[in-house]
Amino acid sequence: MSTGINWAKYSSPQALYPLAGRLIPWFACVAVALMGVGLYMGFFVAPTDFQQGEAYRIIFVHVPAAWMSMFLYVVMAVWAGIGLGLNARPSFMMAQAIAPTGAMFTFLALLTGAMWGKPTWGAWWVWDARLTSELILLFQYAGVMLLRTSIDDVRRADRSSAVFALVGVVNVPIIYFSVQWWNTLHQGASVSMSTGSKMAATMLAAMLLMTLAFWMYSIAVILSRVRCIMVERESLPVWEEKPAAIQKIAEAR
Amino acid sequence: MQWDSASEFFAMGGYGVYVWTSYVVTALCMVWEVMALWRRRAAARAEHRAMLIGDTDETAA
C-alpha cells in the first residue's frame, strides 16, 4: 500500500478481535448516556405538538429506528461488496454481524409506526409506498440471514448472501424518497438536507440525540456479534485469553 | 415541563398506550439482543475452551 499504513494488519481477525473488545464498553457507555439525555429531552423538554398532541413523542424512537434500518442496510451492503471484491473474510463477517441488528431496527420502525398510525391515521397499517418499501426491507434482511443459514459451505454462504444484500440496496433510496415520489399517507421528511428542519429546536435535538444513541448502540452490539462470529468460524486460539490462562488450560490436560 | 403530575405523564394526553408500547417494545428488543449476544459469547468461548483442552471428546469428528 502506498498510504504507508499497513491496512492488512488491521483487517485480520486476530487484530480486529481485541480492538473490537476494547471499543465495545466505550460505545455502550456513550449509547446509554445519550439515550438518557435524549429521553429526558424528548419527554420533559420538548413541547407538545400542536397538531398531534403527545402521540408525536413516538418520533424519538420511530425516526431513529427507521434511519438505522436503512443506514445499517447500506453499511451491510458495503461490507458485502468489499468482501466480494477483495475476497476478505472479515468483511463478510461484518456483513453477517450487521444483519440481525438491522432487521431488529426495521421491525421496530414498522411497529412504532403502527403505534403512531393508529391514533393519527386511524389505521395500524396502510399499503402506502413508505410502509410497503420498509416492509420489503424487513424481508430483505430476513432473506440475507436465511440464505446464509440455508447454505452449509461458509464461503458460498458468504458470497450468496453478499450478492443478495448488494442487489437489495436499490430499495433504500426507494424507501427514503418514497414520500416525494408517491402520494403517501406517511408524512414527508421533517428534517431534510435541502430545506433544514421543520421541527422545534428541542424536538429536533431530542431526535438527533436518540439517533446518535442508536448508532452507538448498534456499533457496540455489532462489534460484539462479530467477535462471536470470529470465535465460531475461525477455530483459532482464543485471542483474549491471557498467556497464563492458556498455560493453565494446557496443564489441565 | 408540561406535566403537572406523574399520572398525567403516564397518560400522555390519552395516547399513553401507543407511546409506552413503542418505548417498552424497543427497550425489550435491545435488552433481548444484548442478552442473546451474552449467551452466544459464553457458548462460543466454552466450546472453544473445550476444544483447546480435550482431544478426549473428539468422537464427533
Side-chain angles (χ1 to χ4, degrees):
Chain A
M1 285 259 169
S2 56
T3 50
I5 302 163
N6 187 5
W7 289 108
K9 190 180 146 198
Y10 294 102
S11 64
S12 70
Q14 286 90 333
L16 273 176
Y17 188 89
L19 179 67
R22 278 197 302 276
L23 292 175
I24 290 165
W26 294 101
F27 284 113
C29 288
V30 174
V32 170
L34 285 172
M35 256 180 235
V37 181
L39 287 174
Y40 176 79
M41 291 277 290
F43 280 106
F44 296 106
V45 181
T48 304
D49 188 75
F50 74 98
Q51 273 182 325
Q52 303 190 3
E54 308 299 350
Y56 96 91
R57 289 184 201 276
I58 294 173
I59 202 174
F60 303 122
V61 66
H62 174 72
V63 171
W67 276 348
M68 289 313 297
S69 73
M70 292 187 280
F71 179 72
L72 286 178
Y73 194 93
V74 174
V75 176
M76 177 179 77
V78 167
W79 280 116
I82 295 173
L84 285 174
L86 303 178
N87 200 20
R89 282 173 300 121
S91 305
F92 288 125
M93 290 181 194
M94 280 304 292
Q96 182 182 353
I98 290 168
T101 303
M104 187 191 84
F105 279 123
T106 313
F107 164 74
L108 287 175
L110 291 167
L111 181 113
T112 56
M115 288 297 148
W116 201 353
K118 186 64 183 169
T120 52
W121 302 339
W124 299 107
W125 181 264
V126 287
W127 291 101
D128 94 344
R130 175 54 75 76
L131 280 69
T132 308
S133 53
E134 181 77 7
L135 182 65
I136 290 171
L137 188 73
L138 184 62
F139 295 153
Q140 288 175 250
Y141 276 119
V144 167
M145 289 191 283
L146 284 173
L147 195 56
R148 170 174 294 286
T149 52
S150 65
I151 301 173
D152 286 333
D153 179 37
V154 177
R155 294 166 74 81
R156 279 193 56 212
D158 275 342
R159 304 188 76 81
S160 310
S161 58
V163 170
F164 189 103
L166 270 178
V167 172
V169 88
V170 294
N171 190 30
V172 174
I174 293 177
I175 299 170
Y176 188 79
F177 292 110
S178 57
V179 287
Q180 295 175 22
W181 292 346
W182 292 283
N183 191 7
T184 57
L185 190 52
H186 194 285
Q187 68 199 62
S190 305
V191 182
S192 122
M193 282 177 232
S194 49
T195 58
S197 168
K198 300 186 188 106
M199 305 163 74
T202 47
M203 286 183 192
L204 180 68
M207 199 173 84
L208 293 180
L209 279 168
M210 288 300 283
T211 304
L212 211 54
F214 279 22
W215 210 333
M216 296 298 117
Y217 166 88
S218 302
I219 295 173
V221 166
I222 288 164
L223 286 180
S224 164
R225 188 176 290 112
V226 84
R227 270 162 62 96
C228 290
I229 292 169
M230 284 174 184
V231 175
E232 287 160 6
R233 281 176 57 165
E234 314 267 312
S235 290
L236 292 171
V238 179
W239 298 298
E240 68 189 300
E241 298 283 15
K242 303 272 187 303
I246 293 171
Q247 186 75 31
K248 228 178 235 168
I249 290 168
E251 281 165 9
R253 290 180 63 165
Chain B
M1 173 93 71
Q2 46 275 312
W3 319 108
D4 293 327
S5 66
S7 59
E8 202 173 290
F9 175 70
F10 287 113
M12 277 289 143
Y15 298 111
V17 181
Y18 305 108
V19 174
W20 297 121
T21 305
S22 300
Y23 281 87
V24 167
V25 174
T26 302
L28 286 178
C29 278
M30 287 180 167
V31 168
W32 173 81
E33 187 178 29
V34 169
M35 280 172 61
L37 275 170
W38 212 286
R39 283 200 302 273
R40 183 172 175 178
R41 176 167 176 267
R45 292 179 72 183
E47 196 174 323
H48 203 98
R49 201 160 298 169
M51 201 188 67
L52 279 184
I53 296 172
D55 309 40
T56 46
D57 53 354
E58 275 184 18
T59 44

